[in-house]
């Protein structure tokens, strides 16, 4: 069915934050739900949503998914949530291949998607939100006796995303393409083991972990006309755990 709503590409849309973003944007956009895994059941439950399987760490796949998204209408926004994490370990324990995989998916994937979206947004403007993490600013130490174990690859990849966002924002401002980031603190879902949530929530000033919907509201705000003069910004959405 033909539809005049603008198009948003949401990556990582089969799960958790990406899925909440797809649901939030479905009120105002046609949503192209991109993930490694099949999101067609989730897409079928939304108006004007389309599922696409793609690997964001493959540049040709990113170019192809942008081409496909443009068949639905004007590409107005990219909300990039897809990312991976690995169990915390020391640098000495960290396999080189694991470091390279996390950087490839989380940082290079963000670069690939932004690069693929620019030509589609250059004429009419647009907005990108690339998800980072509070851990990009603070580092990540495992709980309790394992505090020397970190996620250096994940944190470095997400710090790279912040820097990428600032470069993109400067470069693309002349095309009225705004580029921002959301930096979640701990969020319920697959990235945090359920049994750790009470201990983590107790240390949050607002006394709970975030929800995927909290993150989706922030991403939607940053893409909305209410944020028309905001670019190059990293929005901390963490219940007060880091005030930057
Ligand atoms: N959950 C948290 O506590 C938390 C905290 C801080 C930041 N974040 C960030 O928020 C974003 C979303 O997190 P989440 O909790 O929804 O994660 P999640 O693991 O629940 O979902 C990530 C999705 O990305 C997809 N994905 C992974 N690799 C991919 C690839 N190469 N190509 C395409 N899709 C791929 C997965 O299949 C999955 O559906 C991520 O960028 C994450 O780093 C999450």
């Amino acid at each position: 069915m033909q539809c005049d709503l603008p198009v948003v590409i949401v990556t990582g849309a089969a799960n958790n934050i990406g899925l909440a973003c797809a649901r939030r944007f479905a009120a105002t956009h046609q949503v192209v739900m991109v993930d490694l895994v099949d999101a067609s059941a989730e897409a079928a439950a939304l108006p004007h949503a389309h599922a696409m399987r793609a690997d964001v760490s493959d540049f040709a796949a990113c170019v192809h998914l942008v081409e496909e998204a443009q068949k639905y209408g004007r590409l107005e926004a990219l909300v990039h949530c897809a990312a991976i994490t690995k169990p915390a370990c020391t640098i000495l324990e960290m396999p080189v291949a694991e470091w390279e995989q996390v950087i490839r998916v989380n940082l290079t994937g963000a670069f690939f998607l932004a690069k693929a979206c620019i030509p589609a947004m250059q004429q009419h403007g647009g907005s990108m939100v690339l998800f980072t993490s509070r851990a990009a600013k603070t580092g990540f130490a495992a709980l309790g006796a394992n505090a020397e174990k970190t996620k250096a690859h994940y944190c470095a990849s997400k710090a790279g995303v912040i820097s990428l966002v600032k470069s993109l924002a400067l470069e693309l401002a002349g095309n009225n393409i705004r580029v921002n980031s959301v930096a979640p603190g701990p969020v319920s879902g697959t990235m945090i083991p359920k049994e750790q949530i009470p201990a983590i929530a107790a240390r949050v000033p607002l006394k709970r972990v975030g929800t995927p919907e909290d993150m989706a509201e922030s991403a939607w705000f940053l893409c909305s006309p209410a944020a028309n003069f905001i670019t190059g910004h990293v929005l901390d959405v963490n219940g007060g755990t880091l005030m930057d």
Side-chain angles (χ1 to χ4, degrees):
M1 194 172 54
Q2 204 61 28
C3 171
D4 290 337
L5 293 174
V7 175
V8 59
I9 293 170
V10 179
T11 71
N15 278 300
N16 218 34
I17 296 174
L19 179 55
C21 288
R23 289 176 174 150
R24 180 64 184 90
F25 277 79
T28 48
H29 290 71
Q30 301 182 73
V31 187
V32 176
M33 298 173 65
V34 176
D35 206 297
L36 268 183
V37 299
D38 184 19
S40 45
E42 290 78 6
L46 298 173
H48 315 302
H50 316 274
M52 269 193 70
R53 287 178 83 155
D55 180 350
V56 302
S57 67
D58 174 344
F59 182 57
C62 293
V63 171
H64 177 67
L65 79 87
V66 172
E67 283 168 2
E68 290 299 306
Q70 286 182 279
K71 291 182 181 166
Y72 298 113
R74 177 170 61 85
L75 180 65
E76 189 185 80
L78 165 68
V79 177
H80 176 44
C81 303
I84 55 171
T85 189
K86 298 282 177 188
C89 63
T90 65
I91 298 270
L92 283 179
E93 290 164 346
M94 188 177 290
V96 170
E98 195 165 273
W99 168 275
E100 288 177 342
Q101 186 195 5
V102 173
I103 297 293
R104 173 86 183 182
V105 174
N106 293 3
L107 177 55
T108 310
F111 161 71
F112 284 167
L113 273 164
K115 188 174 169 67
C117 284
I118 290 170
M121 291 182 176
Q122 251 169 346
Q123 290 301 315
H124 53 72
S127 183
M128 301 184 193
V129 171
L130 310 181
F131 268 76
T132 181
S133 171
R134 187 197 62 187
K137 302 179 179 187
T138 59
F140 173 95
L143 290 175
N146 288 325
E148 83 288 358
K149 295 184 188 287
T150 69
K151 296 189 179 187
H153 36 24
Y154 178 78
C155 297
S157 71
K158 291 295 180 175
V161 168
I162 292 176
S163 191
L164 176 65
V165 160
K166 293 179 180 181
S167 295
L168 286 166
L170 286 171
E171 178 181 330
L172 301 175
N175 295 105
N176 197 29
I177 302 172
R178 299 182 300 101
V179 188
N180 292 293
S181 188
V182 173
V187 178
S188 53
T190 42
M191 281 201 176
I192 308 181
K194 265 202 175 74
E195 63 278 7
Q196 291 184 8
I197 287 185
I200 293 170
R203 295 187 305 194
V204 178
L206 286 178
K207 293 296 171 224
R208 64 173 178 88
V209 298
T211 63
E213 290 72 26
D214 291 326
M215 307 307 139
E217 284 300 334
S218 297
W220 187 85
F221 162 72
L222 286 170
C223 291
S224 76
N228 263 347
F229 204 49
I230 301 177
T231 196
H233 185 66
V234 180
L235 185 58
D236 290 316
V237 189
N238 59 36
T241 51
L242 175 73
M243 302 181 193
D244 207 10

